[in-house]
């Protein structure tokens, strides 16, 4: 008899706000597809879970992005995010269908919801993960090896949940790439009727004040030119190169701590995770906490005057030199090439 009789499939909580699905849901579905492909003998499917009101028509998008099945919980009490009602509904879905694992984005919502659901189910949860693999040594179960930064980002720990199901994890946005959708993909849509413990809200949200985002969202930029402490006194130059390339300025935490930039554009473990097609690191040492936020970039170019700087070990291309000398030359070349 299998160790976890009745538990099957990889479930992904597909987060949406006002009917707009957050990319992280699709990133997790793409990664879940790879995970199930690595254990063909288990015959697992990828299942999306969509909670909200008036969101049933989004199920096909989730299928197009790689889900075999979508469980839709469409209810007026789920119109906006509520810890109480979302936790009720998601817990019931899990109790009913018994997923082997459940992946959730490590977003503000996911970080609130997943631990509550895990506590109710007495399930193991690995928070804020950056990597997931199937344990190749386990033939008769789908044991996830979930990696996350630990000890202030100085180490990476791999965590397993060997005794409980579902195995739960929250995963940072932008860690995995998202496969292109296939609108012709077919899948099953299941409508699930939740029974709430109480329909009286324990917490009432009186008002939602949307944060006014000044500038751009660096997680969406295709090209980032990032300044570290070695370039904080020439941020205008770094920004000018970013503009010539049609990209955006980003910074290391040192630049934020030194008061030269806002945290909104900080990359790294305590900043944002980015994966642009081009990341130019200017005067950045390559500390692991910074690298954790940008190592998945398609092409990394480093400029640093120290040839031993750690950033060169992950760069595809490097310039050893002073940023104030290299960047004007780079800018000139970009203008010439236009
Ligand atoms: P430095 O380490 O000071 O390096 C500056 C680099 O610039 C050096 O390599 C130097 O050789 C080079 N340089 C100097 N002058 C020039 C010049 N004129 N031309 C060319 N090169 C030059 N850091 C982050 O970035 N993001 C995070 O999210 C983050 N989270 C953290 C979380 C925790 C819990 C901790 C403990 C740390 C975190 N850090 C983070 C900080 C991280 O450990 C490093 O201190 C930080 O990344 C260093 O930034 P830096 O490389 O810009 O500066």
């Amino acid at each position: 008899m299998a160790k976890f009789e009745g538990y099957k499939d990889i479930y992904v909580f597909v987060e949406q706000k006002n009917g707009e699905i957050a990319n992280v849901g699709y990133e997790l579905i793409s990664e879940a597809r790879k995970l199930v492909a690595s254990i063909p003998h288990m015959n697992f499917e990828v299942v999306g879970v969509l909670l909200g009101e008036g969101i049933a028509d989004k199920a096909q998008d989730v299928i197009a992005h790689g889900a075999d099945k979508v469980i839709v919980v469409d209810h007026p009490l789920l119109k906006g995010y509520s810890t109480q009602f979302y936790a009720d509904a998601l817990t019931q879905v899990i109790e009913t269908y018994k997923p082997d694992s459940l992946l959730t984005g490590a977003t503000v919502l996911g970080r609130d919801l997943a631990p509550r659901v895990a506590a109710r189910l007495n399930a193991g949860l690995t928070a804020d993960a950056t990597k997931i693999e199937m344990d190749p040594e386990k033939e008769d179960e789908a044991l996830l090896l979930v990696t996350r930064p630990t000890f202030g980002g100085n180490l990476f720990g791999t965590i397993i949940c060997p005794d409980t199901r579902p195995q739960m994890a929250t995963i940072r946005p932008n860690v995995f790439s998202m496969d292109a959708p296939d609108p012709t993909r077919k899948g099953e849509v299941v409508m699930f009727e939740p029974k709430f413990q109480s329909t009286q809200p324990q917490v009432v949200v009186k008002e939602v004040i949307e944060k006014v985002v000044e500038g751009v969202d660096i997680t969406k930029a295709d090209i980032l030119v990032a300044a570290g402490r070695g370039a904080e006194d020439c941020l205008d130059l770094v920004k000018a190169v970013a503009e010539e390339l049609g990209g955006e300025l980003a910074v290391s935490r040192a630049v934020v701590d030194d008061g030269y930039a806002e945290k909104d554009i900080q990359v790294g473990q305590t900043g944002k995770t980015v994966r642009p097609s081009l990341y130019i690191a200017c005067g950045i040492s390559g500390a692991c906490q910074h690298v954790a936020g940008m190592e998945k970039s398609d092409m990394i170019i480093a400029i640093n005057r120290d040839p031993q700087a750690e950033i060169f070990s992950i760069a595809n291309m490097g310039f050893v030199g002073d940023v104030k000398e290299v960047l004007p030359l780079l800018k000139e070349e970009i203008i010439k090439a236009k």
Side-chain angles (χ1 to χ4, degrees), residues 90 94 100-104 113-119 121 123-127 144 146 161 164-171:
L90 187 56
I94 295 171
D100 192 75
S101 50
L102 174 77
L103 311 180
T104 308
L113 178 64
R116 287 179 194 260
V117 172
L121 295 164
L125 168 75
T126 307
L144 291 180
V146 186
C161 297
T164 54
R165 290 294 187 272
Q167 308 167 84
M168 292 181 63
T170 60
I171 298 101

Side-chain angles (χ1 to χ4, degrees), residues 152 228-230 252-254 266-271 283-287 289-290 303-306 309 321-324:
R229 186 172 272 140
S252 72
R253 175 159 150 183
Q266 179 192 318
V267 171
Q269 189 196 324
T270 43
I284 294 178
S285 58
Q289 296 92 350
H290 184 82
I303 305 169
N304 199 302
R305 66 182 178 194
D306 173 7
D322 193 310
V323 280
K324 290 192 205 73

Side-chain angles (χ1 to χ4, degrees), residues 178-192:
M178 180 170 91
D179 293 339
D182 171 3
T184 63
R185 229 173 153 272
K186 298 266 181 291
E188 189 188 348
V189 179
V190 177
M191 301 302 293
F192 183 85

Side-chain angles (χ1 to χ4, degrees), residues 47-73:
V47 181
V49 185
L50 195 50
L51 269 56
E53 188 197 23
I55 36 86
D57 62 331
K58 299 286 167 197
Q60 181 51 40
D61 289 349
V62 180
I63 290 167
H65 279 85
D68 299 300
K69 182 156 93 180
V70 181
I71 296 172
V72 179
V73 192

Side-chain angles (χ1 to χ4, degrees), residues 39-50:
I39 46 163
H41 60 285
M42 301 292 282
N43 224 6
F44 273 18
E45 290 194 324
V46 175
V47 181
V49 185
L50 195 50

